[in-house]
Amino acid sequence: MSQIVFIDGKFYPRERAKISVLDHGLLYGDGVFEGIRLYNGSVFRLKEHLLRLFSSAKYIALKIPLTIEELTWAVVETCRRNKLRNAYIRLVVTRGEGDLGLAPWLCKIPSVIVIADKIQLYSEEAYTKGLKLLTVPTQRMSIAAVNPRVKSCNYLNNILAKLEGHNAGVTEALMLDSKGFVVECTADNIFIVKNKVLCTPPTYLGALQGITRDCIIELATEMGYKVNEEAFTRFEIFDADECFMTGTGAEVVPVVNLDARPIGNGRPGSVTKRLIKGFRDLVSRGGVSLGANLPRPRRLGDVWAKARRQ
Ligand code: PMP
């Protein structure tokens, strides 16, 4: 069976799932996206992902042509049609087709794309033994430029950092801001633990408000740990008892080494292990079930047809 992709209200087999070469998502990285997980037939924290998508879109002044309910249906239906129970879902909203200039106002209507695919996970060893991180030269973008809190389709900053890490033999890289504060990794948030108190960089430094980051803050607080959202530098990581990363794809991964120096005793710590377990329990409950009775949005097909006719 061919993979089925949702584009602008219709479903296409992957070979025919195409968008215009004049789409500004392609020409300029003008768009926003979400990476979402399907666990055992339920879409995890879909509402939160959709709300973040709308916040990102608002920041770049892009009007998503579908409602939260319509997007929910599109995501669920794409998973259903692909007969998936566990998957990684990519929801993309591009500025749409325009001309060769930058002008977003000349793009008639944003395109909405949903791709659901099998998940590529870190090895089990990464979770039991932990990962090594390296601080890379490419800095996280300034919040005074395109605020990196927006999950935009322009990930070149992160891609360069990822490449620098990869060339030096690590799977994930640590990114700092221009003052030397730790912000996050290339596709994951970061936490440190010192004397059982957790700390993660605040979003005002330009860290993404990760859905997994939010889950961990909730979980750790429920477990009775104090969680601070405070700026810190590499000093605090070297001095920490434990360190871990969080992300939709990665989930919760222990970090045991930074820049060739062990963190704590160089092994995943007890708080991290508790949180890994707690997070795995959390994803197995709740979420939007693929079995949910969601009515097919009636106007779906017309949205793009009407806009393109004008
Ligand atoms: N930071 C960046 C730059 C990311 O791309 C991601 C992945 N979406 C994260 C952090 C983690 O966020 P989440 O937990 O929502 O996947």
Side-chain angles (χ1 to χ4, degrees):
M1 191 192 88
S2 173
Q3 189 182 9
I4 307 289
V5 180
F6 174 97
I7 306 178
D8 298 351
K10 295 191 182 136
F11 292 93
Y12 299 88
R14 183 181 175 154
E15 311 70 58
R16 288 201 292 114
K18 304 265 176 359
I19 60 155
S20 163
V21 291
L22 289 174
D23 191 302
H24 281 206
L26 172 71
L27 292 178
Y28 296 114
D30 187 352
V32 291
F33 77 98
E34 280 298 315
I36 310 166
R37 283 282 283 271
L38 173 73
Y39 285 101
N40 198 23
S42 290
V43 188
F44 185 63
R45 302 247 160 153
L46 180 55
K47 181 90 184 276
E48 288 80 350
H49 280 286
L50 294 178
L51 290 174
R52 188 172 66 181
L53 183 78
F54 275 88
S55 301
S56 293
K58 201 165 188 185
Y59 178 73
I60 66 160
L62 181 154
K63 194 169 176 321
I64 299 179
L66 299 183
T67 62
I68 295 247
E69 291 70 31
E70 288 165 338
L71 286 170
T72 301
W73 182 86
V75 166
V76 167
E77 186 61 19
T78 306
C79 294
R80 282 182 188 147
R81 289 190 185 214
N82 284 287
K83 302 199 178 353
L84 291 162
R85 300 288 298 163
N86 291 286
Y88 182 83
I89 305 158
R90 175 56 53 91
L91 169 57
V92 189
V93 185
T94 71
R95 186 75 67 177
E97 196 176 0
D99 64 18
L100 285 177
L102 290 178
W105 56 89
L106 297 180
C107 301
K108 275 198 172 152
I109 183 166
S111 271
V112 177
I113 301 161
V114 186
I115 310 163
D117 208 344
K118 299 215 172 65
I119 13 165
Q120 300 278 323
L121 295 175
Y122 279 123
S123 65
E124 195 45 41
E125 205 187 9
Y127 298 90
T128 52
K129 295 203 172 146
L131 286 184
K132 293 180 178 181
L133 283 186
L134 190 78
T135 312
V136 289
T138 295
Q139 291 170 356
R140 190 78 174 144
M141 266 181 321
S142 157
I143 50 166
V146 176
N147 193 314
R149 280 194 65 178
V150 59
K151 211 163 159 52
S152 88
C153 290
N154 194 324
Y155 251 48
L156 267 180
N157 193 242
N158 303 47
I159 289 168
L160 288 184
K162 177 102 186 164
L163 191 63
E164 288 160 356
H166 175 78
N167 289 345
V170 294
T171 338
E172 248 297 13
L174 184 71
M175 298 180 80
L176 310 179
D177 74 358
S178 60
K179 295 201 176 75
F181 288 114
V182 169
V183 185
E184 60 181 343
C185 300
T186 67
D188 299 300
N189 289 111
I190 188 158
F191 285 77
I192 50 173
V193 186
K194 173 87 178 173
N195 299 328
K196 310 277 177 213
V197 175
L198 281 76
C199 191
T200 191
T203 53
Y204 64 73
L205 280 188
L208 189 79
Q209 185 158 2
I211 305 294
T212 324
R213 175 185 183 276
D214 281 350
C215 289
I216 290 303
I217 294 175
E218 267 170 52
L219 259 180
T221 310
E222 270 169 33
M223 288 175 178
Y225 298 114
K226 187 167 173 359
V227 185
N228 294 325
E229 291 181 63
E230 268 171 20
F232 59 84
T233 65
R234 286 161 73 233
F235 179 99
E236 283 79 18
I237 303 187
F238 292 136
D239 197 37
D241 302 326
E242 303 180 30
C243 179
F244 62 88
M245 300 181 318
T246 63
T248 294
E251 301 179 325
V252 183
V253 191
V255 175
V256 292
N257 187 295
L258 173 66
D259 300 337
R261 303 195 208 176
I263 300 170
N265 63 8
R267 290 195 300 273
S270 59
V271 178
T272 307
K273 285 190 200 154
R274 255 190 101 183
L275 289 166
I276 291 175
K277 188 174 175 312
F279 185 74
R280 287 184 174 164
D281 288 346
L282 184 71
V283 297
S284 65
R285 316 178 233 127
V288 179
S289 166
L290 297 189
N293 182 15
L294 303 172
R296 186 184 198 286
R298 264 190 286 146
R299 59 172 206 123
L300 210 57
D302 300 342
V303 174
W304 284 271
K306 263 195 199 149
R308 285 179 183 141
R309 249 185 270 122
Q310 277 162 17

